[in-house]
Amino acid sequence: MVRTLIRLVVVAVLMLLVVRVATERSTAQAPQGGVTALTGVRIIDGTGRAAIEQGTIVIGNGRITAAGPAASVQIPAGATRVDLAGKTVMPGMINAHAHVQNQTKGMAMRDDLVRRLRMYASYGVTTAVSLGQVTNEETVEVIKLRDEQERATPDRARVYTSGPSIRGLKTVEEVRQTVDRYADQKVDRIKTHVTPQMTPDQYGALIDEAHKRGLRANAHIFYLKEAEMVLERGVDVIAHSVRDVDVPAAFIASMKKRNVGYIPTLTRDLSLIVYEQTPAFFKDPFFLRGMSVFKEQVDLLSTPAYQQKMRENPQTQMIKVALAQGTKNLKLLSDAGVTIALGTDSGTDEGRWQGYFEQVELEMMAKAGMTPMQVIVAATGAAAQVSKLDHVGTIAPGKAADLLVLDANPLQDILNTRKIHSVWIGGHRMGAAGTN
């Protein structure tokens, strides 16, 4: 009798273990080469089209194979079904003006770069376009990481790079030679700072040479006259806000005619004014989830000496005015139909938090007057368009299965993009910190 009872208990325990494993398997990523179906979801596809309620997304080999209303999507036999009833799925966000730099010098460069890409992913940013490396060595390492992601499913945010920003050169020939050298290194795009040290002819040569090598040209600007100058010479992306005057109708019309993307980077200016005192978000649990990367800079920015330096810096007051002007211009350009893309300038200098500041940028764009749908498109489909990354940014057959699953609807409140259920890159569900 006792032996029979023991056998029954053992059988019951084994059955419970089998059920548990099967349940966990259904909520994890599909096996390599398998098919996964996300069911019962609200789909925001990144194009601006109305959301699909009760939708299904089918993923195979890291790509989306079908997406749409449940009634119109056939789930293949044997697919791993993941029930996400009540969740919202949008494309993983793309930071079209990021920086992925080796900021922690006591750590091996690759390890530091990888952990920063994983931090981006943990906040829902699945692609980072790094517009500016610090050194050639760093550029080489980032290009290695980019090449790795093309060969296998990445365990971190995807990365693309411009190499170091081109600035301060003396001749047109030197500019062309520098662009060619970058292109030979296999960078993905060209970045330049507009400064008085280079002439309009040099910027024209830079843009022309980039185009000859099949690369897009991105320009760091501040003043309207700088933006107008590079626009007239064929630039592809205005990588910061115009922050001195209202953008005029002629500039807006030219941006639209030339199909030039505009990246406001509002949080870049926020980072230059918010540390006059300890900001409230230093106690925000959503911010604190990034402390494995953020802590060394949080400690610095929390010191009275640093905050006093910020208060006494004449630039701080000037940037407050500039941020207000940039915010106004974002609304003018968005209302006129200029392509707006998410970008933050995060990952360079102190207090520009990779992952967290992209979420803050969404909030600031909404406060500028963009609708939640416009903000989401800027962070997904438009950012992919501006960055010329055709394989990400929208939910459609053939696109990479880079997805952000949310517990609440961001169309009702853009802050709901912070209610992250899970992040998927190449059909692979990331862990809580953007790791396996």
Side-chain angles (χ1 to χ4, degrees):
M1 181 69 179
V2 172
R3 289 180 179 177
T4 301
L5 182 60
I6 291 173
R7 288 194 193 99
L8 289 172
V9 170
V10 170
V11 170
V13 169
L14 288 173
M15 288 180 67
L16 285 172
L17 287 172
V18 169
V19 169
R20 180 179 177 182
V21 169
T23 302
E24 290 177 347
R25 177 183 174 85
S26 71
T27 59
Q29 68 273 10
Q32 186 69 30
V35 176
T36 301
L38 310 183
T39 63
V41 298
R42 175 183 299 105
I43 300 173
I44 302 173
D45 69 5
T47 68
R49 288 190 289 261
I52 296 170
E53 303 292 338
Q54 292 299 313
T56 297
I57 302 171
V58 180
I59 302 167
N61 294 318
R63 298 269 175 170
I64 297 166
T65 61
S72 66
V73 175
Q74 183 174 357
I75 300 175
T80 300
R81 294 175 182 246
V82 181
D83 182 4
L84 294 175
K87 310 297 184 188
T88 297
V89 180
M90 59 179 274
M93 293 190 288
I94 298 167
N95 186 349
H97 186 164
H99 289 275
V100 183
Q101 298 177 347
N102 179 204
Q103 292 183 286
T104 305
K105 300 310 178 186
M107 180 178 291
M109 180 178 291
R110 178 188 170 89
D111 292 345
D112 193 29
L113 297 173
V114 167
R115 73 182 186 131
R116 293 177 186 281
L117 288 169
R118 287 176 175 165
M119 188 57 64
Y120 270 130
S122 73
Y123 280 99
V125 180
T126 55
T127 297
V129 180
S130 186
L131 290 184
Q133 304 307 141
V134 177
T135 64
N136 182 66
E137 179 187 13
E138 186 181 85
T139 301
V140 170
E141 198 63 51
V142 173
I143 288 173
K144 286 180 183 178
L145 293 172
R146 180 205 63 197
D147 290 346
E148 288 174 13
Q149 76 200 18
E150 303 306 317
R151 295 191 294 268
T153 301
D155 62 351
R156 54 189 180 263
R158 302 178 193 273
V159 65
Y160 301 90
T161 184
S162 67
S165 180
I166 296 175
R167 61 179 110 178
L169 302 183
K170 300 186 185 319
T171 67
V172 165
E173 185 58 30
E174 187 180 6
V175 167
R176 289 190 182 275
Q177 289 174 354
T178 302
V179 171
D180 286 340
R181 177 163 53 84
Y182 281 26
D184 290 342
Q185 281 187 287
K186 307 300 182 186
V187 300
D188 305 287
R189 60 210 70 238
I190 295 296
K191 161 79 176 297
T192 187
H193 275 63
V194 178
T195 65
Q197 285 72 41
M198 283 172 56
T199 67
D201 285 346
Q202 287 175 290
Y203 288 110
L206 180 146
I207 295 164
D208 178 64
E209 197 66 24
H211 291 168
K212 285 181 179 178
R213 299 301 300 268
L215 300 172
R216 290 170 73 76
N218 299 251
H220 172 118
I221 60 91
F222 187 98
Y223 300 102
L224 174 64
K225 64 180 182 180
E226 296 172 339
E228 289 175 330
M229 184 271 290
V230 291
L231 184 60
E232 290 169 2
R233 283 157 181 80
V235 78
D236 300 292
V237 181
I238 302 291
H240 285 285
S241 293
V242 173
R243 286 160 281 176
D244 57 334
V245 296
D246 288 1
V247 287
F251 176 78
I252 294 173
S254 185
M255 289 281 289
K256 292 180 66 177
K257 181 180 179 180
R258 298 170 186 265
N259 195 27
V260 172
Y262 186 87
I263 305 176
T265 63
L266 301 177
T267 46
R268 182 265 183 193
D269 293 330
L270 178 67
S271 74
L272 297 176
I273 63 176
V274 75
Y275 305 116
E276 292 183 301
Q277 55 190 359
T278 302
F281 65 75
F282 274 13
K283 295 182 179 180
D284 177 4
F286 189 65
F287 173 80
L288 293 174
R289 65 190 289 175
M291 286 295 280
S292 62
V293 170
F294 300 163
K295 186 179 186 306
E296 60 185 285
Q297 289 193 11
V298 167
D299 290 346
L300 170 66
L301 300 178
S302 298
T303 62
Y306 187 96
Q307 293 173 3
Q308 181 177 353
K309 183 177 72 172
M310 293 291 290
R311 289 192 295 269
E312 294 174 352
N313 188 344
Q315 186 187 41
T316 302
Q317 302 310 315
M318 184 269 286
I319 291 296
K320 290 178 181 179
V321 177
L323 177 56
Q325 182 66 66
T327 302
K328 181 179 181 182
N329 282 335
L330 171 58
K331 172 66 169 170
L332 292 171
L333 290 159
S334 177
D335 285 352
V338 171
T339 302
I340 307 296
L342 172 68
T344 60
D345 209 13
S346 64
T348 185
D349 296 334
E350 294 91 0
R352 301 182 189 178
W353 316 106
Q354 289 162 316
Y356 181 75
F357 256 13
E358 284 65 48
Q359 293 281 355
V360 174
E361 187 85 14
L362 301 186
E363 180 184 6
M364 295 179 74
M365 293 168 84
K367 288 181 177 178
M370 295 175 67
T371 68
M373 181 64 87
Q374 287 175 324
V375 173
I376 290 168
V377 170
T380 56
Q385 175 190 335
V386 163
S387 304
K388 208 169 186 180
L389 298 174
D390 297 334
H391 59 301
V392 293
T394 58
I395 296 175
K399 299 286 187 177
D402 294 1
L403 304 169
L404 176 56
V405 182
L406 304 170
D407 287 325
N409 185 357
L411 296 176
Q412 294 178 347
D413 184 345
I414 199 62
L415 293 180
N416 285 338
T417 58
R418 304 183 184 195
K419 297 179 179 179
I420 297 172
H421 170 273
S422 56
V423 178
W424 300 63
I425 299 178
H428 181 91
R429 181 174 175 173
M430 301 288 102
T435 60
N436 283 323

